[in-house]
Amino acid sequence: MFRRSITKHALNNNVLNMPHSGIRSVMEAAWKLERDGRQVRHLEVGQPDFGTPKPIVEACSRALLQEANQRYCPNLGVRELREAAADYLTKRGQQTIPYNRVAVTPGCVFSMAASMLSVAGPGQKVLLPNPGWPNYEMAAQAVGVSTVYYSLTPEDGWQPDFEEIAKLLEDHSDIKLIVLCNPSNPTGQVFNGEVLDKFLQLSEQAGIHVLSDEIYGDIAFGESSSAPSILNSKYFSVDNHIVISGVSKTYSMTGFRVGFLTASDLLIDQISKLGESFISCGVPFAQVAAAAALRGCADKEVAHMLQCYSDRRSIVVDTLSRYEMLDYLTGGPPAGALYCLLFVGHVLPLFQNDVTLFTISMLEATGIATSPGSCFGSASNNHIRICFAGVDNETLRSAMDDLCRYISGLAHSFS
C-alpha cells in the first residue's frame, strides 16, 4: 500500500523553525578533521577537560549499588540532594532556603526551560540578554514564547543599560520574565551586587519574574572565588525570583545531568508537573553523587580545577598581550565563567563579514576550534568565543599562539 511520507508541513512550526546552535557547524567541521587524522584543539565547547573527581565517582558507585537508587525517584529529586542544594543556596545568600523550595532537574537547561514554560505562554514574551546562551532563545521558541533582547555592549564591559531595559519593559507589557546569567556565558563578565539589585528592582516595579542562571557562580577570578548572586540581594524574594544552579561546571559533572533551582511554592509545583510529563524523574544515583559534591567530598579536587581555570585565563590574557591584541578582548579580561569574547571584526571583510565562515577557515588552517559570536546574538557578531576550560595548559598556550599569529597575519594582509 502506498503511504504518503510525512513532510515538514505536518510538524510543529515552533520546533521546525528552531535553528541548531551555530556552535554545531564548527563542532561538525572539527569532528570531520579529526576523522581525517587532523589534530584539533577544542576551544569551542564549555566542557572541562578534567574527569569528575574520584570521591564523587565513588559516591555515585556506592549509590548505584543500592537498590533504591535503581528505581524511580520523586519528580522533584531525592531528598538528600534537595537538602544539600538548599544548604548551598542558603550559604550564597541572606535568606534560608528550605529544601521544599528546591527542584532538581536533568541539568540546568531543563531548569531554565521548565521555568520559562511555567511562567510564560504563547503570545507572551521573555527578556533575554544579547549576547547570551542560545538555549534561552531555543527554549522560548519551542514553547511559542516571543523574545525581546536587552543589550550587553563591549564598550560598557558587557554590562546592561537599565534605561534601555526600563524602556523595553514599558514598551512590552506582555514580558513575563527577565533572564540573566552571572557570570556570563559567553562574555565571561560578572554583574556586581548593584547591577543585580537593579534587575530585581525593575522586575518588582514591572511585576514580573527574574530568572538568574548561576551555573558558573563558583567560578570567578576576582578577590572572591564566587560571583555575586541575586540570593545575596536585599531585594531577593524566593516568591518572585528564580535561581538556577547545578554541578556540571564547578565539579566537572557534565555527563551526570543534574541541575537545580529555587523558586516559589507555586512554581515548584509547576516544575514537578512538567518533570512528570517530560522526564518522569531524574537519575537517583547521579543525584546522590551531586549531593556528595555539594557537601564537599571533593573540595580539594575542585580547588585544583578552579586554580587551573584561573591559570588558563592568565594564559589567554598574557598571550593576547604579548601579541598586542589585548584590546581585542572586548569588555576586558574575563572575570568569571570559562569564556571570553575576542573581537575579530577587523578581518571579517576577508570572509564576507561572516564570523562563522571565519571560524571554519581558522579551524581548517590551524586546527583551532572556536565558537562564532553570532550564535550568541547580534551584539557579538564580530567576535569569537574562546573557552579556556577544555584543554590543558600547554595545549591552550600553543593554541593561543597559533590563533594570534593567524589573526595577525590576516590583519597584515588586509592592511
Side-chain angles (χ1 to χ4, degrees):
M1 178 185 295
F2 173 77
R3 294 180 183 270
R4 187 171 59 183
S5 299
I6 293 176
T7 68
K8 66 180 182 180
H9 301 293
L11 301 179
N12 183 331
N13 283 333
N14 289 341
V15 180
L16 184 65
N17 296 327
M18 181 194 308
H20 287 287
S21 168
I23 303 172
R24 183 187 181 99
S25 60
V26 177
M27 294 175 66
E28 289 178 345
W31 293 333
K32 182 179 185 302
L33 286 181
E34 289 175 325
R35 288 194 299 271
D36 293 341
R38 290 276 304 277
Q39 181 185 17
V40 174
R41 290 162 288 182
H42 290 277
L43 310 184
E44 82 277 28
V45 182
Q47 169 69 58
D49 70 318
F50 298 102
T52 303
K54 185 177 179 181
I56 300 174
V57 175
E58 291 173 342
C60 186
S61 298
R62 290 192 299 269
L64 179 56
L65 293 173
Q66 298 176 15
E67 188 173 338
N69 292 322
Q70 300 165 12
R71 301 176 180 274
Y72 291 126
C73 69
N75 301 136
L76 292 174
V78 301
R79 174 77 173 262
E80 184 177 350
L81 177 54
R82 294 179 73 192
E83 290 180 345
D87 290 345
Y88 166 81
L89 294 166
T90 296
K91 290 176 183 176
R92 279 184 60 78
Q94 297 182 356
Q95 299 181 25
T96 298
I97 305 296
Y99 87 92
N100 61 354
R101 291 292 187 93
V102 172
V104 177
T105 64
C108 288
V109 65
F110 191 77
S111 287
M112 180 270 300
S115 297
M116 194 175 292
L117 186 57
S118 297
V119 171
Q124 297 176 325
K125 298 173 182 175
V126 292
L127 185 57
L128 305 179
N130 176 18
W133 188 39
N135 293 55
Y136 300 142
E137 180 180 17
M138 293 172 72
Q141 184 168 342
V143 300
V145 173
S146 299
T147 51
V148 181
Y149 297 90
Y150 65 90
S151 302
L152 306 174
T153 60
E155 294 80 13
D156 296 322
W158 299 112
Q159 297 295 305
D161 178 347
F162 286 108
E163 289 186 2
E164 178 202 30
I165 293 175
K167 184 68 165 57
L168 289 170
L169 292 174
E170 180 182 339
D171 292 344
H172 301 274
S173 59
D174 48 357
I175 290 175
K176 302 291 287 185
L177 177 73
I178 303 176
V179 176
L180 63 95
C181 183
N182 196 42
S184 168
N185 174 15
T187 73
Q189 296 306 317
V190 171
F191 300 149
N192 63 29
E194 291 181 4
V195 170
L196 298 180
D197 284 348
K198 192 65 176 175
F199 270 113
L200 300 191
Q201 287 177 288
L202 281 177
S203 72
E204 183 177 353
Q205 293 166 9
I208 61 177
H209 285 83
V210 166
L211 186 153
S212 183
D213 180 352
E214 301 186 4
I215 184 60
Y216 300 100
D218 290 320
I219 305 175
F221 307 114
E223 295 180 1
S224 172
S225 60
S226 296
S229 167
I230 68 168
L231 290 160
N232 206 36
S233 171
K234 63 182 179 181
Y235 300 103
F236 174 77
S237 167
V238 74
D239 290 324
N240 300 316
H241 306 127
I242 307 163
V243 178
I244 290 175
S245 191
V247 296
S248 291
K249 306 300 183 177
T250 302
Y251 300 94
S252 194
M253 296 175 65
T254 53
F256 286 68
R257 306 314 305 139
V258 178
F260 52 85
L261 63 87
T262 184
S264 66
D265 284 331
L266 182 60
L267 189 59
I268 293 295
D269 186 50
Q270 311 317 304
I271 300 294
S272 177
K273 290 187 286 186
L274 289 170
E276 185 174 359
S277 300
F278 287 102
I279 59 168
S280 294
C281 67
V283 180
F285 50 86
Q287 294 184 15
V288 172
L294 292 175
R295 295 293 189 201
C297 77
D299 280 357
K300 180 179 179 181
E301 291 85 349
V302 169
H304 170 70
M305 291 191 289
L306 295 178
Q307 182 58 54
C308 286
Y309 297 148
S310 179
D311 293 342
R312 293 171 187 179
R313 168 192 178 272
S314 296
I315 289 171
V316 171
V317 172
D318 292 347
T319 306
L320 291 171
S321 179
R322 183 155 43 86
Y323 283 87
E324 298 183 347
M325 294 175 60
L326 195 56
D327 287 345
Y328 297 146
L329 196 58
T330 50
L338 306 170
Y339 316 100
C340 60
L341 286 175
L342 186 70
F343 178 78
V344 293
H346 57 303
V347 298
L348 288 186
L350 296 171
F351 302 91
Q352 304 170 38
N353 289 311
D354 185 339
V355 70
T356 299
L357 181 59
F358 166 82
T359 57
I360 297 295
S361 298
M362 183 171 69
L363 170 65
E364 294 172 346
T366 66
I368 302 168
T370 59
S371 297
S374 54
C375 67
F376 304 102
S378 59
S380 50
N381 268 345
N382 294 328
H383 296 73
I384 57 174
R385 189 192 70 172
I386 295 170
C387 174
F388 47 84
V391 294
D392 61 43
N393 291 20
E394 290 309 310
T395 302
L396 179 63
R397 188 172 285 110
S398 71
M400 287 303 302
D401 273 330
D402 290 347
L403 181 150
C404 289
R405 282 195 287 264
Y406 179 75
I407 295 175
S408 297
L410 291 174
H412 179 72
S413 66
F414 186 65
S415 61

